[in-house]
Amino acid sequence: MKNLIKELFWRGLIHDSTYNEKIKNEIITLYTGFDPTYKSLHIGNLVAIIMLIHFQKYGNNIISVIGGGTGIIGDPSGKNSERNLIKKELLNYNIINIRKQLSLYIDFNFKKSEILNNYEWLKKNLFLDFVRDIGKYFSINYMLTKDSIKKRISNKKSISFTEFTYQLLQAYDFFYLYKKKKCSLQIGGSDQWGNITSGIELIRKKLGVKVNGLTFPLITKLDGSKFGKTENGENIWIDPNLTSPYEFYQFWINITDDQAKQYIKIYTFLKKEEIKEIIYNHEKNPKLKLIQKKIADEITIFIHGKEIFNKVKFISNILFKKEKSIKKISKNDIIYIYKYIPHKKIYIYNNFNIPILDLLVNKSNFLKSKKKAIRHLKLNSILINKKIVDEKFILKKNDLISESYVLLQKGKKNFFMIKFKK
């Protein structure tokens, strides 16, 4: 444990911790929770998965808890307003998906490592029994000190009794897992510190036992907001149907140098010496993006596998070639590109003459408004099949690649492909 904690500190994976310098080198059981309020995990959740893998590599037993019970309530942490309650049928569907995703990346055949659903033990608690046996250990004053509650109240936003009691349920999870599994450590994102320490307090008061908590930093977008389980917004999902492997790969290629220097330690399992060498070589010529490319390679292989990664690299090489023509590419290659980048199928019934604004906005929704489309056209940043076009351009049938496809491009990095069908 002592060596592991030291490595996690170096990787920037520890935000808060109850551990002191007298950490014992012992095998423990630990857990972290996964919120099933959406059907896929995202790259913020990947940090939790990577943390579990690190602990597992050092011989510890890990438990992944899917919040089938707490998901009915909704965690107020990091939320500025009340969550919409999710229907149980949808929650159960999400739980099945998340369980499958976790099983792809974590070895649950290792010792006592397992996936649990907290609904299985929370459903057994009667309200009066829970309030008497658990609630009595928490004063209102104590609960109000938690950041998730303080921020909501200080922003003059209301918080329901439902969300207010969430921290008691998560505290009970830790208490239950300690009693049943001797689980002595809970880990989570930094926004979970209040919930984690509530569990530590409950175990101390009720059983007289000291357990520990550890949080890792939240991964945020450039605007400072965290990656969350909402359908809207710029989330990067690990489900290839929600974020294509190509988009996933390009996300890492396009992170800033500061992010890259942080993420290569967090999101890869590369050794310290190798990471230092990559950063050193990158700083000699930052335009080569050596760190970003290494992260993109490692994490895309980890999530999507080597075969998909090779296809993504192949597609990227084609799309970012300096040559202007794409019509010479084989039909099989075009089909690959269409499959793995953002795309849309459009049915054409009339004469094939489509004005550029209609193509960019109405047909494809590649750009959100004609005003934006006109602005980009005037800046010469719109390309059709890798050729710059203006407002007068009309797409004709002989412009199509392999008789069916057209490649739209905005600037150097944004691509979209349309397949026309009769």
Side-chain angles (χ1 to χ4, degrees):
M1 277 293 292
K2 192 172 185 177
N3 293 335
L4 170 59
I5 297 298
K6 185 178 179 181
E7 180 178 351
L8 295 178
F9 265 117
W10 175 80
R11 289 183 177 274
L13 278 166
I14 295 182
H15 187 274
D16 287 302
S17 172
T18 59
Y19 282 114
N20 56 35
E21 294 179 356
K22 298 179 180 178
I23 306 169
K24 295 179 181 178
N25 280 318
E26 59 182 352
I27 301 301
I28 64 165
T29 298
L30 67 141
Y31 94 96
T32 192
F34 293 91
D35 178 9
T37 50
Y38 195 56
K39 60 186 176 182
S40 175
L41 300 173
H42 51 72
I43 62 169
N45 303 124
L46 267 185
V47 184
I49 292 173
I50 287 168
M51 286 286 282
L52 289 178
I53 293 172
H54 278 300
F55 274 94
Q56 193 176 61
K57 282 184 174 180
Y58 275 77
N60 298 292
N61 304 313
I62 60 171
I63 302 173
S64 297
V65 174
I66 301 176
T70 43
I72 295 172
I73 302 299
D75 183 2
S77 302
K79 299 294 179 183
N80 294 320
S81 58
E82 193 80 11
R83 281 177 180 256
N84 293 322
L85 296 178
I86 187 170
K87 292 182 179 178
K88 288 184 179 180
E89 296 79 12
L90 181 57
L91 192 69
N92 290 333
Y93 173 76
N94 295 345
I95 289 168
I96 292 170
N97 283 350
I98 290 173
R99 179 182 285 272
K100 287 178 181 176
Q101 288 181 336
L102 290 172
S103 298
L104 290 174
Y105 309 116
I106 300 174
D107 180 9
F108 288 103
N109 294 317
F110 179 86
K111 292 188 176 180
K112 298 178 182 177
S113 301
E114 55 190 328
I115 304 177
L116 303 176
N117 180 348
N118 67 5
Y119 180 73
E120 296 304 317
W121 57 83
L122 289 177
K123 70 181 179 181
K124 298 174 183 177
N125 282 291
L126 296 175
F127 178 73
L128 289 177
D129 292 338
F130 188 83
V131 171
R132 183 192 63 194
D133 296 338
I134 304 301
K136 70 177 181 178
Y137 291 100
F138 296 90
S139 70
I140 294 297
N141 292 348
Y142 175 83
M143 295 176 72
L144 288 172
T145 64
K146 302 303 179 183
D147 283 345
S148 59
I149 308 298
K150 273 201 303 187
K151 287 179 181 177
R152 183 78 69 83
I153 294 173
S154 64
N155 291 334
K156 297 182 179 178
K157 302 284 186 180
S158 65
I159 184 165
S160 68
F161 174 75
T162 302
E163 285 196 341
F164 186 65
T165 57
Y166 182 92
Q167 63 179 285
L168 299 187
L169 296 175
Q170 189 165 325
Y172 182 79
D173 283 347
F174 201 176
F175 169 76
Y176 176 87
L177 290 170
Y178 177 79
K179 284 188 68 178
K180 297 292 183 181
K181 307 283 184 179
K182 290 300 177 185
C183 178
S184 60
L185 172 65
Q186 181 184 173
I187 66 172
S190 58
D191 61 341
Q192 294 298 307
W193 184 245
N195 294 330
I196 290 172
T197 52
S198 291
I200 292 172
E201 280 295 291
L202 177 61
I203 294 169
R204 182 184 67 81
K205 290 178 177 178
K206 202 166 174 62
L207 301 176
V209 175
K210 183 186 182 299
V211 293
N212 289 292
L214 184 155
T215 62
F216 44 83
L218 290 177
I219 301 302
T220 59
K221 306 173 192 175
L222 287 176
D223 64 4
S225 62
K226 74 173 185 176
F227 289 92
K229 290 231 175 71
T230 56
E231 233 176 308
N232 301 317
E234 299 177 354
N235 289 319
I236 307 299
W237 307 100
I238 67 174
D239 183 336
N241 297 310
L242 298 173
T243 298
S244 73
Y246 169 81
E247 291 174 291
F248 185 87
Y249 179 83
Q250 288 300 320
F251 168 82
W252 303 102
I253 291 292
N254 292 313
I255 58 178
T256 67
D257 282 359
D258 286 341
Q259 287 176 314
K261 289 172 186 177
Q262 176 192 12
Y263 291 174
I264 194 168
K265 296 177 183 178
I266 291 175
Y267 280 104
T268 77
F269 298 98
L270 299 173
K271 301 293 184 182
K272 188 174 183 177
E273 294 73 22
E274 187 176 356
I275 289 173
K276 283 184 174 181
E277 185 179 355
I278 293 166
I279 292 174
Y280 173 77
N281 290 330
H282 171 91
E283 289 177 340
K284 288 195 292 187
N285 192 350
K287 289 183 180 179
L288 294 178
K289 290 192 167 187
L290 295 180
I291 308 175
Q292 287 91 334
K293 288 176 181 177
K294 189 61 176 177
I295 298 169
D297 290 358
E298 293 288 319
I299 199 71
T300 304
I301 291 170
F302 177 62
I303 294 300
H304 296 297
K306 193 69 180 286
E307 184 179 347
I308 296 296
F309 164 75
N310 288 334
K311 289 177 181 177
V312 166
K313 287 281 284 186
F314 171 76
I315 291 165
S316 297
N317 289 337
I318 290 175
L319 293 179
F320 289 98
K321 274 184 180 178
K322 291 182 180 179
E323 64 187 40
K324 300 297 181 181
S325 177
I326 196 171
K327 284 195 169 185
K328 295 179 182 179
I329 297 171
S330 71
K331 187 171 184 178
N332 285 339
D333 291 345
I334 292 298
I335 291 170
Y336 267 143
I337 295 172
Y338 176 80
K339 182 178 179 180
Y340 289 105
I341 71 170
H343 61 266
K344 186 176 183 180
K345 187 182 292 184
I346 295 176
Y347 289 88
I348 293 292
Y349 301 101
N350 302 317
N351 292 332
F352 199 99
N353 291 290
I354 306 172
I356 185 64
L357 290 178
D358 190 26
L359 180 69
L360 294 173
V361 182
N362 300 330
K363 299 289 188 191
S364 67
N365 201 31
F366 180 47
L367 297 179
K368 301 304 179 185
S369 69
K370 288 187 177 181
K371 185 177 178 180
K372 284 185 177 180
I374 291 169
R375 180 166 62 85
H376 285 293
L377 286 163
K378 287 181 176 178
L379 291 170
N380 292 326
S381 61
I382 298 298
L383 293 84
I384 301 297
N385 295 336
K386 306 207 103 186
K387 293 182 179 179
I388 295 172
V389 297
D390 59 22
E391 295 175 60
K392 296 177 183 178
F393 178 81
I394 295 176
L395 184 74
K396 300 182 183 297
K397 194 168 184 178
N398 61 5
D399 293 313
L400 299 184
I401 306 166
S402 298
E403 301 181 345
S404 302
Y405 301 88
V406 63
L407 178 68
L408 312 184
Q409 183 177 346
K410 183 186 74 174
K412 295 180 179 180
K413 302 173 183 176
N414 297 293
F415 296 92
F416 190 96
M417 187 166 272
I418 298 172
K419 180 179 182 181
F420 289 100
K421 295 281 286 184
K422 290 183 181 180

